[in-house]
Amino acid sequence: MYTPVHVINKDSKTAYIAAWQQFLANQHYKVGGIDGIWGQHTTDFTEQFQKDNKLGVDGKVGPATLANAQKQHGFQFPVIQNLEIAGHSNIVIDVSHYQKYNPRTDTDNICFENAYHAGIRAVIHKCSERNGGKDSIDPTYHRRVAKAKAAGLLWGAYHFGGAGSGVEQANYFLNEVGQSDNTVLVLDWETTNMSVADAVAFVTTVHSKTGKYPMLYSRARFINDAHPSSDQLAILSQCPLWLSAYSWKTINPSLPNGWDKYTIWQFSDSIHGHGALPVSGIGDCDRNLFNGAATDLQSFWTTYGIKL
C-alpha cells in the first residue's frame, strides 16, 4: 500500500488524479472523462469546488481542500496495489543514476537486497546514451553490476539511442558492458533523433558481435510512426519487444506492427499507470511485467544474455 500524500496535482499518481476526478463527478461537477490526466477541466472544477465550499481558490488540491473533501464529503484516497495479470510476473525494474544517486557527494543509496526481498528478480540498468553526437556512460552503471548480482538479481543493460551512427553507438555500448556474464542487452529507441536506419544498424551490430539480438524498448505508436520498411521491420522484429505503455484504463496494451507479443511490458514509471508503486531499496522507478513465470524469466535471460 502506498501512503497518501497531502496534495493532488498534475504530477500526482494517475490513480490519485482519477480518484479526485471521480469525486468531482460525484459532486455533480461535469469534469468530463475520468482519465487520470490533470487537464483544464480538472483545474476549473477544482476551483468551483473551492468556491462552493468557501475555500481558497487556486485550482490545486492542497491540504485545506483535501481536508474539506475528506471530512465534509467523504473523499478517500484509493489503495494502490501491485498490478497482477494472469501469465505475467511483476518482477522486473529498470533504473539509472536517477535512483538513489547523489552526484554532488558521489553517494549511492540503492539497496538491491531489499528489492530482491520485495520480490524483484531482474534489474535493467541504463548503461550509456547518445546525446549531442557523443556517447556517455551512466555514472552508476559499473558500480552497481556486482551489487545487483550479489543480491541474486538478473542483470540487463540498455543504451538510450540518439542521433548518429548506430554502429558507433553499438560499439560504444558493447565496450562499456565489457566482459559480461549473462547480461541481456537493450536498445532504448524512443526518440526520433535516432533514425530507423541507425536503429537497424545498432541491433545488427550487436547481433554480429554477440550472436544475439538485443531487446528493443519502445512504444507501439513510436515504432509504427517511424514507418520502417518491410526489410527494416524484418530485422527489428527479431528483437524481443520491451513495450512501454502507461495505460490507466487497459491491461491489454497495443502492439506495434511486426510483433505478435511483448516479452516485457513497462506499465508504470511509479507515477502513471496501474500499480504505480515504489520498490523497497530503490524507491520510485519504472515497473515492468514479464510475460511469463519467474522460471521463464531465468530461461529468457539464459537464452538472450550475452557472454563477452
Side-chain angles (χ1 to χ4, degrees):
M1 183 183 299
Y2 191 83
T3 303
V5 294
H6 300 291
V7 62
I8 303 174
N9 57 29
K10 64 181 179 61
D11 298 318
S12 296
K13 293 180 182 292
T14 307
Y16 291 169
I17 296 174
W20 180 252
Q21 291 172 328
Q22 185 63 63
F23 168 76
L24 291 174
N26 293 344
Q27 301 301 309
H28 307 295
Y29 298 105
K30 297 180 180 179
V31 70
I34 311 302
D35 58 7
I37 300 172
W38 190 285
Q40 190 58 49
H41 282 322
T42 307
T43 298
D44 292 343
F45 287 109
T46 297
E47 291 180 350
Q48 190 60 53
F49 173 82
Q50 291 170 327
K51 291 176 183 177
D52 293 343
N53 287 273
K54 297 180 174 56
L55 299 165
V57 179
D58 59 6
K60 302 175 182 178
V61 188
T65 299
L66 273 177
N68 180 278
Q70 290 174 311
K71 294 178 181 179
Q72 304 300 322
H73 304 281
F75 173 77
Q76 293 182 334
F77 278 96
V79 175
I80 301 177
Q81 297 177 322
N82 271 316
L83 180 61
E84 302 294 343
I85 300 177
H88 293 66
S89 302
N90 193 342
I91 55 177
V92 182
I93 59 173
D94 61 281
V95 299
S96 71
H97 64 281
Y98 288 113
Q99 279 76 37
K100 299 286 188 177
Y101 177 65
N102 186 335
R104 289 180 294 180
T105 59
D106 193 33
T107 54
D108 193 355
N109 295 316
I110 209 162
C111 183
F112 291 117
E113 289 84 0
N114 285 0
Y116 183 88
H117 290 305
I120 300 302
R121 291 295 176 266
V123 56
I124 304 174
H125 202 290
K126 182 179 182 180
C127 174
S128 55
E129 72 173 305
R130 168 62 67 95
N131 187 16
K134 295 182 179 180
D135 295 306
S136 60
I137 183 73
D138 183 291
T140 60
Y141 178 81
H142 290 299
R143 70 175 66 189
R144 290 177 173 175
V145 177
K147 292 180 180 179
K149 291 184 177 182
L153 294 166
L154 297 169
W155 184 258
Y158 74 86
H159 173 81
F160 188 95
S165 169
V167 174
E168 290 180 2
Q169 293 181 64
N171 286 332
Y172 181 90
F173 176 53
L174 291 172
N175 183 65
E176 288 298 341
V177 171
Q179 297 298 315
S180 178
D181 180 21
N182 202 28
T183 297
V184 167
L185 304 180
V186 183
L187 170 60
D188 181 340
W189 184 36
E190 58 178 291
T191 169
T192 55
N193 289 335
M194 180 175 237
S195 68
V196 179
D198 284 323
V200 170
F202 184 100
V203 303
T204 53
T205 299
V206 170
H207 182 260
S208 68
K209 295 199 170 185
T210 67
K212 300 180 181 182
Y213 282 99
M215 292 189 74
L216 183 66
Y217 169 93
S218 197
R219 304 182 306 277
R221 184 172 179 178
F222 178 86
I223 293 175
N224 291 342
D225 287 350
H227 301 297
S229 69
S230 57
D231 289 343
Q232 290 172 326
L233 191 58
I235 294 172
L236 292 173
S237 61
Q238 296 296 310
C239 302
L241 179 63
W242 180 7
L243 182 66
S244 173
Y246 300 166
S247 175
W248 178 71
K249 291 186 174 181
T250 181
I251 57 173
N252 296 299
S254 298
L255 293 168
N257 297 330
W259 284 265
D260 59 8
K261 70 173 184 177
Y262 56 78
T263 299
I264 296 177
W265 169 24
Q266 187 186 84
F267 63 86
S268 172
D269 60 357
S270 280
I271 300 295
H272 308 96
H274 288 280
L277 289 168
V279 174
S280 177
I282 310 294
D284 286 341
C285 62
D286 297 335
R287 303 295 302 270
N288 304 270
L289 286 177
F290 174 71
N291 193 354
T295 52
D296 299 322
L297 180 73
Q298 180 65 63
S299 297
F300 174 79
W301 241 259
T302 299
T303 300
Y304 284 91
I306 63 161
K307 294 184 178 180
L308 294 177

